[in-house]
Amino acid sequence: MCDLIITDAAVLFPDGIVRSAQTIEINEGKICSVRPYRETDLETAAKERISGTGKLVMPGLADCHMHTGQQLLKGKVLDALPMIWTRIMLPFESTLTEEKMELSASLAALEMIKSGTTAFVDAGSYHMEAAAEVYVRSGLRGLISASTMDEKGLPDSIAHDAEEAVAQTDRLYDGYNGKGNLKVAYSLRSLISCSDELNLKAARRAKERGAKLQAHMNEYAGEVNYFLTNKKVRPFEYLDSMGILDEDFIAAHCILLSEREKDLLAERGVKVCHCPFSNCGKGAPDTPALREKGICVGLGTDGAAHGGLSLWNEMKIFRSVMNVEYGSRLNEPAVMPAKYILKMATENGYRLMGEDGGRIEPGKQADLITINMMQPHLYPTGNPVNTLLECVTAGDVCDSIVNGKVLMKDRHVLTLDEEMILAKAAEYWEWEDSETAGRTEKEERKAAL
Ligand SMILES: [Zn+2]
């Protein structure tokens, strides 16, 4: 008897081809068989069953860069003047509490499950233990970090020296690495907020523990200029001179890269994540060149404050940006084909996280989602792969399975209490409203600092 059987579904295979009428069997968290459907499958003994009729099964999406700690900033960043990091994000994160992080993680987990994300990388925030507790319960696969920087002049609540900055992740690692489907990565929040001592300490500790190391990289012109002015080299060249770059380094954004830096990423096996909606205000990454060099590139949302946690939106934006920036210039409509973008959001994301999923084939982690295809905006289609990219949105995801466990069935989330979480969110909203009522924007900023 298998743990879970999905019968009579269309399946997106690793070669990028969708084959109809397939049956998938799952045991002990792994896919054990994928084969053509036969009517007798309806009688096959299984602890749990999902009818795939009218559905398409594909690997779950991996959000390779999000911020749980910014979930409650949704709607507060769009069109804001730069630098939002110093003006909005940092002051807000310095006021986070355990309660706020528990609510943030609950909302983020719900949003991810309901939009087809099965795995995520949190770039690091504060009170991450409270978030980790929620993520363990949610059943999602996650790679989480503590926000790590030792810049002088930060608000007291988040001011750390290099020793304490790394110790935060040590504690998170000891408590949560391997708990549920979570792993813990070391992080460098942003290189201009981290001293050399911290860079080396975090990198050394990550190596000692066989953990990933992640950082925001080459996102702003100001950041690249800081290195050119003070170190006479670009950010990746600087990290490489310290021996920090390797295949376990996850570099978020990577918009402003020199040719030498692109080569360095390939030579060291660095993993890259773009966040299209967020990145649009800063530039278009040279993904065609990164792809050409064989660099593993995934996609991320950069957190709910940057357009929500739907990777379906990110994929569409990414495709549009690539076509405006490169496709139209070269008169090459397939400069970033749908098949490849879907691979970035699935297989590449899992590879970036060091996980063995993102592909529907025997032996791989059973992290899958189903899409309800019997809807006027999806059916019929001459090419289901193109339609997945062009037309599917978060609301079309029916079922979500992580490590063989069903987290959502027919859009009903089974691991978290959606009603209760939304009631808590409403309470928070009322409280925040009363806190800020009557304050001018300037006073609000002062209060936050
Ligand atoms: Zn970020």
Side-chain angles (χ1 to χ4, degrees):
M1 186 193 293
C2 66
D3 291 338
L4 174 64
I5 188 167
I6 307 171
T7 51
D8 189 25
V11 171
L12 175 63
F13 280 81
D15 57 5
I17 308 259
V18 172
R19 295 179 180 86
S20 59
Q22 303 287 315
T23 289
I24 301 175
E25 286 181 296
I26 291 162
N27 238 339
E28 292 176 356
K30 295 214 156 52
I31 297 169
C32 53
S33 77
V34 188
R35 54 176 170 75
Y37 166 72
R38 19 175 216 262
E39 270 180 28
T40 51
D41 290 341
L42 296 174
E43 273 98 56
T44 303
K47 287 181 196 151
E48 191 151 9
R49 345 181 43 93
I50 288 177
S51 166
T53 309
K55 293 176 182 172
L56 183 148
V57 181
M58 62 176 281
L61 307 175
D63 184 344
C64 296
H65 184 83
M66 56 82 75
H67 291 266
T68 307
Q70 295 168 7
Q71 184 74 22
L72 299 175
L73 279 175
K74 194 195 281 269
K76 292 194 172 187
V77 168
L78 195 70
D79 299 341
L81 293 173
M83 295 259 294
I84 54 167
W85 162 240
T86 42
R87 279 207 324 109
I88 302 174
M89 306 302 202
L90 199 59
F92 176 79
E93 286 198 43
S94 72
T95 65
L96 283 169
T97 59
E98 276 184 23
E99 293 72 24
K100 284 188 199 173
M101 277 304 276
E102 188 188 343
L103 176 61
S104 301
S106 302
L107 288 165
L110 270 181
E111 191 180 351
M112 286 193 275
I113 294 171
K114 299 199 86 168
S115 56
T117 296
T118 49
F120 68 95
V121 180
D122 183 293
S125 191
Y126 303 93
H127 306 286
M128 282 304 292
E129 284 81 1
E133 282 297 324
V134 175
Y135 286 134
V136 169
R137 280 202 303 278
S138 76
L140 284 164
R141 196 178 294 284
L143 183 64
I144 61 170
S145 293
S147 178
T148 307
M149 49 187 170
D150 61 349
E151 188 180 354
K152 302 279 172 281
L154 292 173
D156 279 354
S157 59
I158 58 170
H160 298 126
D161 60 15
E163 192 80 32
E164 175 54 21
V166 174
Q168 278 188 109
T169 309
D170 285 343
R171 290 192 290 272
L172 192 64
Y173 187 96
D174 292 339
Y176 292 95
N177 192 61
K179 195 167 176 189
N181 294 319
L182 294 188
K183 285 186 185 157
V184 173
Y186 283 78
S187 85
L188 302 167
R189 187 81 192 235
S190 159
L191 291 195
I192 54 174
S193 307
C194 298
S195 67
D196 285 356
E197 185 195 353
L198 177 55
N199 292 338
L200 287 168
K201 266 194 164 69
R204 198 178 317 128
R205 197 62 58 86
K207 265 283 132 301
E208 280 166 16
R209 298 189 142 178
K212 303 280 178 198
L213 178 65
Q214 59 171 334
H216 291 78
M217 293 295 299
N218 297 44
E219 183 180 6
Y220 298 99
E223 169 202 347
V224 178
N225 285 341
Y226 171 88
F227 278 91
L228 288 172
T229 308
N230 295 294
K231 314 284 183 187
K232 312 290 177 230
V233 288
R234 296 177 65 92
F236 277 110
E237 293 173 302
Y238 188 64
L239 283 188
D240 194 54
S241 72
M242 297 170 92
I244 290 177
L245 297 183
D246 62 18
E247 63 282 357
D248 288 321
F249 191 88
I250 301 171
H253 304 301
C254 294
I255 307 166
L256 309 165
L257 298 172
S258 69
E259 291 307 314
R260 174 66 194 131
E261 285 180 300
K262 289 174 207 166
D263 286 339
L264 263 180
L265 296 178
E267 286 163 21
R268 305 288 179 252
V270 170
K271 310 292 188 292
V272 168
C273 168
H274 301 319
C275 303
F277 186 91
S278 168
N279 292 167
C280 275
K282 301 154 197 160
D286 191 1
T287 323
L290 302 183
R291 183 183 173 207
E292 187 81 25
K293 290 177 192 295
I295 295 164
C296 174
V297 185
L299 291 176
T301 60
D302 210 2
H306 296 287
L309 298 179
S310 167
L311 281 164
W312 301 102
N313 290 347
E314 300 294 341
M315 285 192 275
K316 289 179 189 63
I317 294 163
F318 180 66
R319 202 263 180 193
S320 304
V321 169
M322 288 295 111
N323 278 52
V324 169
E325 184 73 18
Y326 305 104
S328 61
R329 197 195 306 155
L330 305 167
N331 198 21
E332 168 53 275
V335 72
M336 203 52 64
K339 201 194 266 194
Y340 180 73
I341 299 177
L342 284 165
K343 185 179 165 187
M344 289 172 75
T346 54
E347 189 180 332
N348 285 11
Y350 272 74
R351 212 178 121 206
L352 174 147
M353 291 175 69
E355 300 290 348
D356 191 23
R359 291 164 68 90
I360 298 190
E361 64 187 10
K364 295 288 169 192
Q365 287 164 338
D367 290 14
L368 316 170
I369 55 172
T370 75
I371 310 293
N372 172 11
M373 297 300 284
M374 297 308 286
Q375 305 183 78
H377 65 294
L378 304 180
Y379 183 84
T381 169
N383 182 330
V385 172
N386 287 348
T387 298
L388 279 175
L389 186 96
E390 289 178 287
C391 305
V392 169
T393 62
D396 301 322
V397 180
C398 270
D399 311 290
S400 167
I401 297 148
V402 175
N403 214 30
K405 183 177 170 186
V406 182
L407 309 189
M408 176 169 78
K409 198 163 189 179
D410 289 326
R411 292 206 61 71
H412 181 64
V413 178
L414 305 174
T415 51
L416 297 166
D417 186 339
E418 184 168 2
E419 214 175 299
M420 194 188 79
I421 292 166
L422 289 174
K424 279 193 182 163
E427 244 172 60
Y428 167 79
W429 199 234
E430 265 173 39
W431 169 83
E432 200 206 39
D433 248 11
S434 64
E435 276 286 288
T436 54
R439 278 190 193 159
T440 63
E441 200 195 335
K442 204 171 162 193
E443 282 168 340
E444 266 178 47
R445 233 177 285 149
K446 218 171 135 196
L449 282 165

